Structures are given as C-alpha cells and as structure tokens.
Amino acid sequence: MVRMPTTRPYHHGDLRAALLTSAERTLREKGVAALSLRELARDVGVSHAAPGRHFKDKQALLDALTLVGFERMARAMDAADDPELPLERRLTALAKTYLGFAIENAELLELMFARKHDPDVSAQLTAAVDRSAEPITRLISDAQQRGEIIEGDPERITMVAAASLHGLAAFTANGSLPAEASLAGLDEHIHHLLHGLRPR
Amino acid sequence: MVRMPTTRPYHHGDLRAALLTSAERTLREKGVAALSLRELARDVGVSHAAPGRHFKDKQALLDALTLVGFERMARAMDAADDPELPLERRLTALAKTYLGFAIENAELLELMFARKHDPDVSAQLTAAVDRSAEPITRLISDAQQRGEIIEGDPERITMVAAASLHGLAAFTANGSLPAEASLAGLDEHIHHLLHGLRPR
DNA sequence: ACCTGAACACCGTTCAAGT
DNA sequence: ACCTGAACACCGTTCAAGT
C-alpha cells in the first residue's frame, strides 16, 4: 500500500540532512548572517526546537556545513588530480578546481576558513582538511622526486603553493577579483608560481 | 574650574569613537559573533538606542571597523616600505608587516576581507584598500623598471605577489599555520615567490 | 527516539518624547 | 543635536510534555 503524502511530507529520519541542505541553500543565497535555526526549522516544516535534536547549537550546524564543504572539496580535488600530466598542467588543473570550488561556494568557503569550530568536530575536520590538501602535497613530493621542484622541506614548499592558490581563491570569492579575470589569469598565475617573479 | 568626573564620565561628543574602540576590543577578545550593539551601548554607558545615532545599523559599525582596519594597515605598510632596500629584502619587510598585522588583528582581518560592506562606504573603502596595496604595487613597478622582476602586466604580477602574501596571512590568522612557523618561514616563502618552485 | 509548545533571556531597529 | 524608554518582531536554547 502506497503512503500518500500528508501535510508534512518528510522529516521522519532525514531531518538532519534536510536541515543541512536547507542551510546550505540559505548560506548560498543570503550569507551566514542570514542563517537562523528558527527560520531553518520553518523552511523544513518542523518546530523551532526540533533542530536541537540534531545539532546541539548553532555552531554545531555551522561546523557540519564546514565539514561537508571540505569533504566536497576533497572529492573535487581528488578527481581533478591526474599524476600522468606534466607538472605545470597538473598543478594548473588542481588550481582550476580549487578556484572553481571557491567561485561556486563562496560563502561556504568563508565559513570553512573561519576557524570557529568546536573542538568536538576538530578530528573529523582535520582529516577532511588534510584530505583536500593531499593532492597538492602529493604533486609536490612527486615532482621533487623527479627533480622538477626545488629541494627542501616539502611541507614548506607545499605551503608556498597552497598560499598562492588560497590567496587567489580568497580574493576571487570575496569579490576583490572578478571570477572571469581570475580564471583568465590562472595559467599565468601558476606559471609565475613555478618560475618565479625574477627574470631567469 | 575642573569638571569632576560624574557617574557618566564621557559620551558627549565622542560616542562614535568610544563605540568603535569598544567594538574593536570585543572583536579582538571574543570575535565578530559576540559583537552586539546593545552590549556595546552598555559597555560605554549609554542607552541601547544611542548607537543608532552614529551607525545606521550594525553593518554600518562593521563597515567602520573595516575601514579603520584598512587605514591602519595602509599606514603600517607605508611605514615599512623602504625603496632603498634591495628587492628581496624590501619585499620581505612588507610581507613581515602584513603578516604582523594579520597576527595582531586576526579577527579584524577576517572582517576586512568578508565583503559584506554597504555600498555607502565602498568609495572610502576602495581608497583605503588601494592605499594599503600600494606599497606592493610600487615595489613591483620599481623592480620591473630595473629589470629585477619579469616583464608583463604589472597588475597581474602584483596579484601573484599579493595572493601569496594574503594566503600566508590568512592561514596564519585562522590558525591553520602557527604564527611562529609562519614568521620563521617568511624569508624562505618570499625567496620561493621570487625565484619560483622549479629548479633554476 | 523524535518532536512540540511554552518559557526565558537575549537581540536589532524604530520612534515618540525628553534635554 | 543627541540621547532615552518603550515597543515590536525577531533570535538561540532549554525543558517538560506529548506521540
């Protein structure tokens, strides 16, 4: 027998997921400041106290969104990494993916890097952060082994590359640099990162 | 005749300034999320509606803080720039100043780059942002003229340098990279920026 | 186990009224 | 000109009570 939709179609088992989906939508459309647990509850058709069952407080919801963000980014970066590619093209592909994520998820990116998270989630969060940085770490160490990247502490060199990409992504996500200009200049940006600003 | 302090010592003409000072203190100590106009009014000894005389809404106060931040940063960058220095040392000095600002004003930096500002202040804000970026812009064009930096669109090259510094500052301000590690690695970071990650 | 409704202590913003 | 006090419509969080 088929269950007919009632006046309250869902929120049986997946209230948590529904809240996260709705929260991300609000985040994208109106920004973090506009995110209210009560409004979220209304949007999802549940009492204002119901979210409390799934998130101990508002910060817990923001932390969950952050985690979702890093996991999504990690998947994207992982999928974009092709170890067969020559170094510069390989790095450009990763950078483009990062930049694309930043453009498509500007508000989420801000939340992800806002470091307000509860210590409770920090273990999962650290894992997700590491996973999303791993393709770049791997690229650097691969290239070092081939002698295509200078020698020296791989962590520091990875940090130089990551800072360069993150700075560009941050300027793009916050509107300092228009998305088109950012994407159009990406190849050159990576070239400069690899070859330096001093003449050779 | 000396005015004895009354129960309400100030808030005559400088309520606006007092609110900004108090707001920055709260920002530094407890973060943006903890910033409330009503609490600010209490701290400063004034009715909860008084701030409304000086800031049309909460965003206006945040915008004013952002402006103060960029002006302070601009002054610091300007004071740190020494055109007599050789390129790498000159750039390192600017980077160190930027990083120092980011460490000392981590919460403020986040606010400054959060792009939520009202269009009203955007003219002043744009000017302050430009002024704080100018030392780097100037350094790049000086060095280009001397042939110490590669040719090409100076704006793009400035963006490469700025992204690198901003990425490092952002990772430091948000705790991804401890301040000490960040400062300790700064010389090398700048070296890599100038010389590239590929072996020469 | 999961959700509701009422309650509490906060908010930001507005607006008449006071000085 | 600058500030107050009351009012309004919101919040987040908690907790007994319901199913």
Side-chain angles (χ1 to χ4, degrees):
Chain A
M1 190 178 156
V2 179
R3 287 275 307 277
M4 295 306 285
T6 66
T7 40
R8 298 263 229 38
Y10 57 174
H11 84 271
H12 332 27
D14 56 353
L15 178 54
R16 196 191 130 97
L19 288 169
L20 280 177
T21 303
S22 187
E24 201 189 330
R25 182 195 176 87
T26 305
L27 181 65
R28 188 180 302 277
E29 291 174 357
K30 309 200 250 168
V32 223
L35 212 56
S36 127
L37 288 179
R38 286 178 102 112
E39 192 180 8
L40 224 48
R42 265 179 256 127
D43 289 348
V44 132
V46 95
S47 91
H48 67 258
R53 286 292 124 193
H54 299 274
F55 302 101
K56 82 174 220 283
D57 56 18
K58 194 179 177 177
Q59 187 56 50
L61 178 102
L62 298 181
D63 289 346
L65 283 173
T66 295
L67 193 57
V68 164
F70 275 111
E71 280 166 351
R72 187 181 306 159
M73 185 164 117
R75 267 195 307 277
M77 294 295 277
D78 226 61
D81 189 24
D82 178 359
E84 303 296 314
L85 253 33
L87 173 58
E88 188 156 344
R89 285 185 55 200
R90 187 180 171 194
L91 182 54
T92 302
L94 285 179
K96 193 172 194 168
T97 300
Y98 190 25
L99 211 51
F101 181 89
I103 292 168
E104 295 300 314
N105 304 269
E107 290 282 349
L108 183 56
L109 191 81
E110 190 178 325
L111 194 61
M112 287 162 62
F113 285 100
R115 84 188 160 348
K116 311 279 181 186
H117 5 278
D118 237 62
D120 302 6
V121 282
S122 74
Q124 284 176 82
L125 202 49
T126 303
V129 170
D130 288 351
R131 221 168 68 84
S132 60
E134 220 204 75
I136 294 182
T137 307
R138 208 164 41 207
L139 175 148
I140 297 290
S141 73
D142 285 0
Q144 269 190 323
Q145 279 177 338
R146 292 195 193 110
E148 294 176 346
I149 288 271
I150 50 172
E151 293 175 18
D153 181 3
E155 279 206 37
R156 182 152 298 166
I157 294 175
T158 300
M159 180 54 71
V160 173
S164 184
L165 302 195
H166 184 68
L168 189 68
F171 285 147
T172 308
N174 75 24
S176 304
L177 186 64
E180 314 78 50
S182 181
L183 286 168
L186 184 58
D187 289 10
E188 212 176 311
H189 186 97
I190 298 301
H191 184 85
H192 292 330
L193 170 60
L194 287 175
H195 295 262
L197 299 185
R198 279 208 193 263
R200 295 225 168 200
Chain B
M1 192 181 159
V2 180
R3 288 276 307 277
M4 296 305 285
T6 66
T7 41
R8 300 265 233 34
Y10 57 176
H11 83 270
H12 334 26
D14 57 353
L15 177 55
R16 196 192 129 97
L19 288 169
L20 280 176
T21 304
S22 187
E24 200 188 331
R25 183 195 175 86
T26 305
L27 181 65
R28 190 180 301 277
E29 291 174 356
K30 308 199 252 167
V32 223
L35 212 56
S36 126
L37 288 179
R38 287 178 102 111
E39 192 180 8
L40 225 48
R42 265 179 256 127
D43 289 349
V44 132
V46 95
S47 92
H48 68 257
R53 287 292 125 192
H54 300 273
F55 302 101
K56 83 174 220 283
D57 57 18
K58 193 178 178 181
Q59 187 55 50
L61 178 102
L62 298 182
D63 290 345
L65 283 173
T66 295
L67 193 56
V68 164
F70 275 112
E71 281 166 352
R72 188 181 305 159
M73 187 165 116
R75 269 195 306 278
M77 294 295 277
D78 225 60
D81 188 23
D82 179 359
E84 303 295 313
L85 252 35
L87 173 59
E88 187 155 346
R89 285 184 56 200
R90 188 180 172 194
L91 182 55
T92 303
L94 286 179
K96 194 171 193 167
T97 301
Y98 191 24
L99 210 51
F101 181 88
I103 292 167
E104 295 300 315
N105 305 270
E107 290 282 350
L108 183 56
L109 191 81
E110 190 179 326
L111 195 60
M112 288 162 61
F113 286 100
R115 85 182 158 352
K116 311 279 183 188
H117 6 279
D118 237 63
D120 303 6
V121 283
S122 75
Q124 284 178 81
L125 201 49
T126 303
V129 170
D130 287 351
R131 221 168 69 84
S132 61
E134 221 205 75
I136 294 182
T137 307
R138 209 164 39 208
L139 175 148
I140 296 290
S141 71
D142 286 359
Q144 269 189 324
Q145 279 177 338
R146 291 194 195 111
E148 294 176 347
I149 287 273
I150 50 170
E151 293 173 20
D153 181 4
E155 278 205 40
R156 184 152 296 165
I157 294 174
T158 300
M159 180 53 72
V160 173
S164 184
L165 302 196
H166 183 68
L168 190 67
F171 285 147
T172 308
N174 77 22
S176 303
L177 186 64
E180 314 78 49
S182 181
L183 286 168
L186 185 58
D187 288 10
E188 211 176 312
H189 187 96
I190 298 301
H191 184 85
H192 292 330
L193 170 60
L194 288 175
H195 295 263
L197 300 184
R198 280 211 192 260
R200 294 222 170 203

